[in-house]
């Protein structure tokens, strides 16, 4: 058993612990629910109340709307603000601030004197002056959930970089955007927004000062506990796959699905798609996602539904990595190597650095879309490699030293001893011709090429039922 | 102290449970740790390090429990050695991992549990175990190597 296998076992063990902890929590909830049910039953018995069961048609209660960002504001007019500030003849208007337990969206437009497009440079040029008040308990909450102390910095900056999306122009404003931030910790209050930098289409920064005080009241999100799972074989090497869906949170800004999947992620990446609720498609929000949960999340545009009958999705594709290890020692360039019935040509040139051009002459016939190359040099250089999120340092004798990340592998004393400038020497080839540029080789030309992995995408369309309720179930 | 302990209860329970994998034992370890923390609260000089300090006490309690279990495991292993059943299923592999963890030194087990089972970062592990970050980094790799040895490793693919 090697280190990666042990890490995999530890990962499985970690998930098992998570599952047991969740089961433990559920047990406690169930036990208190049972007590409540018992009390209600006793009250009903004694009061002699009889009630008739009313069976509803499946379609009577069904209503679903998928809304775009603009529609979110349109559907929630109480969150419209239309407050403006002007500096340097540039007027910024905050059209609305929609806040719930999942997200905070700020809608704005900019009107410049010459009518040219401008946008808020929100990474550097936007601050919540009262961030500590807005996100006050957030840090504590995250740490309680097991995230490290430094996950949130002093100024909550990582919650400012949540993303932006352009909006369609209106009659009065052509430069419109929505910015997404993490949900506020505060239930209601005022956000003090200071904008100091705008950016034009050429990427130039315009400095100024636009100050806003935007009131908000956070809307509640409804939580639907799902607690269902699927176990199946993936259509690749009969690989085991399991997925567990925990809950769905439905707010006015988004619908968020929490899940946890388990498969051999060294070999495949599973991609999910075609999410539906009661047979209607759910549309993904690409600005979404929770930064604070231990589970994976997918965000959809908000939906309104009186009763959820069914939620489903499918595994739409697998990105497959197949480990191969073909070594080729090159005496002189250009060289041609045989690989899987096709030839790969490797050429070398030198100006101020060595450059290698790899031409996969058999590309058109290959089953795999990508090949991953590594290049080795004389002088026993260490190779940095990556497995999932973790890094690995491979010494010339083949010893693998696991590291936190590729960066750490690069800075490992063993790597420093062998290399002057560090570059991850792994390259994908997704086309016939690939140029590899090297920054440092101690004046040495490459002596060995390895084809380390093959990659391909497999279309799958394997359906998964997330939730299926019978009509009498709540 | 009681209030602080309650505040960190969830996280401490998570640590205790990851170590002991038994609800009642985890709760017992937390209770014992709470009593020790209460008795020794004057030892905590920097209140900012309360969480790490509490985590360390809980880990010590769990290790105490481990020492007892380790002795039991060694006896069970001797019994199993005479058994005709193999250890091929995933379930058995999982048992094997747990047993192998028990055979690690406390330091190695703490490092692996905090890093791989509880997902702490190196800086946090350093705070909890009161070690320099550099030491945590170097020892983690060594501890994983020991686990590999115990589990019949050596093969690096």
């Amino acid at each position: 058993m090697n280190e990666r296998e042990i890490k995999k076992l530890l990962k499985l063990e970690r998930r098992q612990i998570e599952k047991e902890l969740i089961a433990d929590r559920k047990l406690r909830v169930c036990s208190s629910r049972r007590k409540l049910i018992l009390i209600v039953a006793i009250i009903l018995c004694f009061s002699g109340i009889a009630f008739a069961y009313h069976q509803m048609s499946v379609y009577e209660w069904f209503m679903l709307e998928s809304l775009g960002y603009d529609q979110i504001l349109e559907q929630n007019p109480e969150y419209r603000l239309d407050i403006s500030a002007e500096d340097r003849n540039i007027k910024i208007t905050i059209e609305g601030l929609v806040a719930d337990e999942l997200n905070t969206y700020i809608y704005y437009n900019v009107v410049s004197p010459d009518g040219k497009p401008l946008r808020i440079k929100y990474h550097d040029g936007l601050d919540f002056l009262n961030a500590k008040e807005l996100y006050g308990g957030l840090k504590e909450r995250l740490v309680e959930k097991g995230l490290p102390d430094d996950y949130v910095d002093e100024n909550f900056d990582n919650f400012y970089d949540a993303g932006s999306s352009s909006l369609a122009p209106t009659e009065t404003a052509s430069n419109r955007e929505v910015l997404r931030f993490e949900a506020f910790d505060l239930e209601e209050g005022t956000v003090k927004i200071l904008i100091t930098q705008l950016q034009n289409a050429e990427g130039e920064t315009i400095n100024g000062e636009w100050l806003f005080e935007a009131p908000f009241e956070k809307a509640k999100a409804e939580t639907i506990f799902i607690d269902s799972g699927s176990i199946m074989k993936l259509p690749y090497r009969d690989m085991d796959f399991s997925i567990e869906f925990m809950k769905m949170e439905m707010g006015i800004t988004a619908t968020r699905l929490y899940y946890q999947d388990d498969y051999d992620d060294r070999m495949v990446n599973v991609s999910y798609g075609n999410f539906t609720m009661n047979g209607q498609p759910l549309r993904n929000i690409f600005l979404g996602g929770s930064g604070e949960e231990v589970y994976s999340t997918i965000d959809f545009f908000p939906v309104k539904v009186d009763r959820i009958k069914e939620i489903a999705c499918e595994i739409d594709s697998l990105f497959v990595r197949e480990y191969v290890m073909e070594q080729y020692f090159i005496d002189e360039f250009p060289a041609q190597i045989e690989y899987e019935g096709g030839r790969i040509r490797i050429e070398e040139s030198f100006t101020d650095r060595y450059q290698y051009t790899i031409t996969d002459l058999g590309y058109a016939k290959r089953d795999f879309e990508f090949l991953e190359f590594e290049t080795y040099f004389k002088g026993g250089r260490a190779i940095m490699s990556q497995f999932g999120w973790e890094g690995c340092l491979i010494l010339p004798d083949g010893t693998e030293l696991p590291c936190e990340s590729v960066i750490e592998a690069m800075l490992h004393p063993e790597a420093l001893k062998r290399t002057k400038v560090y570059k991850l020497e792994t390259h994908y080839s997704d086309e016939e011709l690939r140029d590899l540029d090297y920054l440092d080789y101690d004046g040495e030309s490459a002596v060995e090429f390895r084809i380390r992995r093959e990659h391909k995408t497999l279309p799958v369309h394997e359906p998964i039922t997330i939730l299926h309720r019978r009509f009498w179930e709540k | 102290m009681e209030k602080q302990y309650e505040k960190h209860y969830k996280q401490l329970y998570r640590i205790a449970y990851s170590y002991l994998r038994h609800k009642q034992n985890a709760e017992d370890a937390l209770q014992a740790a709470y009593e020790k923390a209460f008795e020794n609260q004057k030892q905590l000089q920097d209140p900012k390090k309360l969480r790490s300090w509490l985590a360390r006490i809980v880990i010590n309690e769990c290790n105490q429990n481990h020492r007892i279990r380790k002795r039991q495991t060694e006896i069970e292993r001797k019994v199993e050695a005479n058994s005709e059943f193999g250890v091929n299923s995933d379930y058995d592999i999982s048992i094997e991992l747990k047993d192998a963890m028990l055979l690690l030194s406390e330091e190695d087990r703490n490092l692996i549990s905090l890093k791989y089972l509880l997902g702490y970062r190196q800086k946090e592990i350093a705070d909890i175990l009161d070690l320099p970050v550099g030491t945590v980094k170097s020892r983690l790799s060594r501890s994983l190597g020991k686990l590999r040895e115990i589990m019949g490793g050596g093969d690096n693919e």
Side-chain angles (χ1 to χ4, degrees):
Chain A
M1 184 168 285
N2 62 31
E3 280 189 6
R4 262 177 287 157
E5 283 167 333
I6 287 179
K7 278 187 184 173
K8 174 79 182 165
L9 270 183
L10 286 163
K11 194 175 164 190
L12 290 172
E13 192 73 359
R14 185 177 169 182
R15 286 188 179 176
Q16 182 58 33
I17 291 169
E18 292 292 341
K19 279 180 192 167
E20 288 172 16
L21 284 166
I22 290 165
D24 186 14
R25 275 204 298 275
K26 271 187 217 158
L27 205 65
R28 285 183 213 169
V29 173
C30 284
S31 139
S32 57
R33 271 186 197 154
R34 262 187 232 123
K35 279 181 201 159
L36 186 68
I37 290 166
L38 187 68
I39 292 164
V40 171
I42 291 167
I43 292 169
L44 287 176
C45 285
F46 280 94
S47 59
I49 296 171
F51 55 92
Y53 183 70
H54 176 65
Q55 187 179 332
M56 286 189 295
S57 148
V58 169
Y59 297 100
E60 273 174 16
W61 43 258
F62 174 71
M63 182 185 76
L64 182 139
E65 292 169 14
S66 286
L67 312 166
Y69 289 114
D70 255 330
Q71 287 167 305
I72 291 173
L73 188 55
E74 280 165 24
Q75 292 288 321
N76 300 283
E78 66 274 27
Y79 291 91
R80 183 164 273 285
L81 292 171
D82 289 323
I83 48 174
S84 302
E86 201 167 330
D87 189 20
R88 300 182 169 222
N89 286 331
I90 300 169
K91 186 174 158 191
I92 301 178
T93 302
I94 293 189
E95 297 177 11
L97 190 155
V98 186
D100 68 5
E101 291 172 325
L102 303 178
N103 299 292
T104 304
Y105 292 149
I106 294 181
Y107 294 76
Y108 77 90
N109 71 61
V110 185
V111 179
S112 59
D114 54 8
K116 285 189 177 168
L118 288 172
R119 59 193 294 270
I120 296 171
K121 209 173 159 185
Y122 64 90
H123 294 294
D124 308 313
L126 185 148
D127 280 303
F128 290 160
L129 298 180
N130 55 339
K132 281 187 185 166
E133 183 193 343
L134 297 168
Y135 291 113
L138 181 68
K139 186 165 184 166
E140 211 168 85
R141 232 170 346 107
L142 298 190
V143 171
E144 250 180 47
K145 282 183 179 177
L147 288 163
D149 258 341
D150 54 0
Y151 188 75
V152 181
D153 68 18
E154 276 301 297
N155 300 316
F156 299 88
D157 271 353
N158 39 346
F159 291 95
Y160 288 179
D161 288 347
S164 70
S165 173
S166 299
L167 298 174
T170 60
E171 279 177 14
T172 50
S174 51
N175 304 313
R176 300 180 64 238
E177 265 196 344
V178 59
L179 303 178
R180 176 189 175 261
F181 303 89
E182 280 292 313
F184 295 139
D185 213 39
L186 219 57
E187 293 304 313
E188 58 180 298
T190 302
V191 196
K192 292 175 184 166
I193 307 165
L194 177 65
I195 296 160
T196 52
Q197 290 180 26
L198 302 176
Q199 195 172 37
N200 65 18
E202 287 76 43
E204 291 162 347
T205 301
I206 294 111
N207 295 308
E209 231 179 67
W210 296 266
L211 183 66
F212 298 88
E213 291 206 358
F216 72 90
E217 192 180 331
K218 210 166 75 177
K220 295 274 175 213
E222 188 191 353
T223 303
I224 292 142
F225 290 98
I226 297 172
D227 297 328
S228 77
S230 294
I231 297 172
M232 61 176 80
K233 295 270 181 203
L234 291 176
Y236 175 73
R237 294 190 167 191
D238 272 347
M239 195 179 279
D240 290 328
F241 169 84
S242 70
I243 188 161
E244 202 178 338
F245 296 94
M246 278 76 190
K247 60 178 179 176
M248 195 166 225
E249 286 182 340
M250 299 172 77
I252 57 170
T253 64
T255 291
R256 182 170 295 165
L257 179 67
Y258 293 77
Y259 69 97
Q260 195 168 28
D261 52 11
D262 190 17
Y263 54 89
D264 188 347
D265 53 10
R266 288 170 311 170
M267 299 193 72
V268 297
N269 276 0
V270 175
S271 152
Y272 306 101
N274 290 339
F275 283 86
T276 58
M277 186 186 281
N278 295 358
Q280 300 290 313
L282 291 169
R283 280 199 287 153
N284 286 81
I285 289 186
F286 296 103
L287 290 183
S290 163
E292 56 172 287
E293 288 291 339
V294 286
Y295 305 119
S296 305
T297 58
I298 303 176
D299 273 25
F300 307 100
F301 275 106
V303 289
K304 281 181 187 171
V305 58
D306 286 353
R307 185 179 180 280
I308 297 173
K309 182 196 166 203
E310 189 181 63
I311 310 171
C313 71
E314 61 178 37
I315 295 176
D316 62 3
S317 63
L318 297 181
F319 182 70
V320 175
R321 291 178 291 276
E322 204 157 79
Y323 191 85
V324 293
M325 182 49 95
E326 296 278 348
Q327 270 177 297
Y328 303 92
F329 294 95
I330 315 286
D331 296 327
E332 57 181 289
F333 295 95
Q336 284 207 10
I337 55 177
E338 285 286 342
Y339 181 72
E340 293 282 317
R343 283 172 166 264
I344 295 170
R345 189 171 64 221
I346 305 167
E347 293 158 288
E348 182 185 64
S349 58
F350 185 83
T351 47
D352 60 332
R353 65 186 65 178
Y354 280 105
Q355 188 177 42
Y356 297 91
T357 302
I358 297 180
T359 311
D360 186 354
L361 303 171
Y363 176 74
K365 291 179 190 167
R366 293 220 185 280
D367 183 28
F368 280 76
E369 294 157 358
F370 314 97
L371 296 178
E372 189 178 311
F373 298 98
E374 281 179 1
T375 315
Y376 287 64
F377 294 81
K378 282 177 190 165
R381 284 166 56 105
I383 300 295
M384 276 63 75
S385 197
Q386 189 163 356
F387 301 105
W389 291 106
E390 292 178 345
C392 186
L393 181 71
I394 305 167
L395 300 181
D397 64 0
T399 311
E400 292 186 3
L401 303 174
C403 299
E404 276 280 296
S405 63
V406 176
I407 301 297
E408 195 183 281
M410 289 172 182
L411 298 172
H412 193 286
E414 286 296 325
L416 293 173
K417 207 159 69 184
R418 291 174 163 81
T419 330
K420 282 181 184 167
V421 179
Y422 318 102
K423 188 170 166 67
L424 179 67
E425 294 176 351
T426 302
H427 300 267
Y428 294 133
S429 167
D430 54 354
E431 53 199 14
E432 185 186 337
L433 194 134
R434 183 59 123 198
D435 284 341
L436 309 180
D437 241 1
Y438 290 108
L439 299 173
D440 168 66
Y441 345 98
D442 300 339
E444 292 158 356
S445 113
V447 288
E448 183 190 334
F449 278 80
R450 287 183 184 185
I451 296 172
R452 195 174 169 83
R453 282 196 188 85
E454 297 180 317
H455 304 248
K456 69 176 170 184
T457 308
L458 292 177
V460 179
H461 303 299
E462 188 76 41
I464 299 176
T465 301
I466 299 173
L467 180 73
H468 183 79
R469 280 179 176 154
R470 287 162 294 189
F471 67 88
W472 62 85
E473 290 172 332
K474 272 191 179 177
Chain B
M1 175 60 69
E2 196 177 347
K3 208 173 171 185
Q4 289 297 328
Y5 203 81
E6 269 174 21
K7 191 173 131 190
H8 297 291
Y9 176 85
K10 263 190 198 169
Q11 204 186 351
L12 297 173
Y13 180 79
R14 194 182 159 91
I15 293 175
Y17 188 84
S18 302
Y19 267 73
L20 303 173
R21 303 297 291 280
H22 189 279
K23 187 172 171 278
Q24 194 58 50
N25 290 351
E27 283 172 356
D28 288 349
L30 281 189
Q31 180 60 33
Y34 167 70
E35 283 163 13
K36 284 199 178 139
F38 193 79
E39 277 167 24
N40 301 308
Q41 53 184 305
K42 281 182 188 161
Q43 284 177 10
L44 177 69
Q45 285 163 356
D46 182 357
K48 280 184 197 161
K49 298 207 166 174
L50 173 71
R51 196 172 63 96
S52 311
W53 184 69
L54 288 172
R56 196 155 59 235
I57 295 173
V58 170
I59 289 170
N60 286 341
E61 273 308 312
C62 294
N63 281 329
Q64 180 73 27
N65 189 305
H66 265 302
R67 275 177 223 129
I68 300 162
R69 281 178 61 200
K70 186 176 172 178
R71 281 198 292 277
Q72 287 169 347
T73 305
E74 277 163 359
I75 294 163
E76 280 162 17
R77 268 172 179 265
K78 282 176 191 163
V79 174
E80 275 174 15
N82 297 321
S83 159
E84 59 182 318
F85 300 108
V87 282
N88 288 325
S89 69
D90 287 345
Y91 178 76
D92 289 334
I93 286 171
S94 169
I95 296 289
E96 201 179 78
L97 175 71
K98 283 176 208 159
D99 285 354
M101 291 281 283
L102 281 172
L103 295 172
L104 284 172
S105 70
E106 272 175 26
E107 182 189 277
D108 292 328
R109 187 168 57 243
N110 288 344
L111 284 163
I112 289 179
S113 298
L114 289 169
K115 167 75 184 162
Y116 295 105
L117 297 183
L118 287 152
Y120 283 97
R121 287 189 178 175
Q122 288 176 349
K123 190 183 168 300
E124 278 205 314
I125 298 172
D127 279 349
I128 292 171
L129 299 180
D130 209 11
L131 292 169
V133 179
T135 311
V136 170
K137 275 186 193 176
S138 59
R139 288 191 193 170
L140 257 174
S141 167
R142 202 186 61 188
S143 304
L144 207 59
K146 284 186 187 168
L147 185 63
R148 196 184 64 198
E149 271 174 35
I150 292 171
M151 296 188 74
D155 167 28
N156 250 329
E157 203 172 61

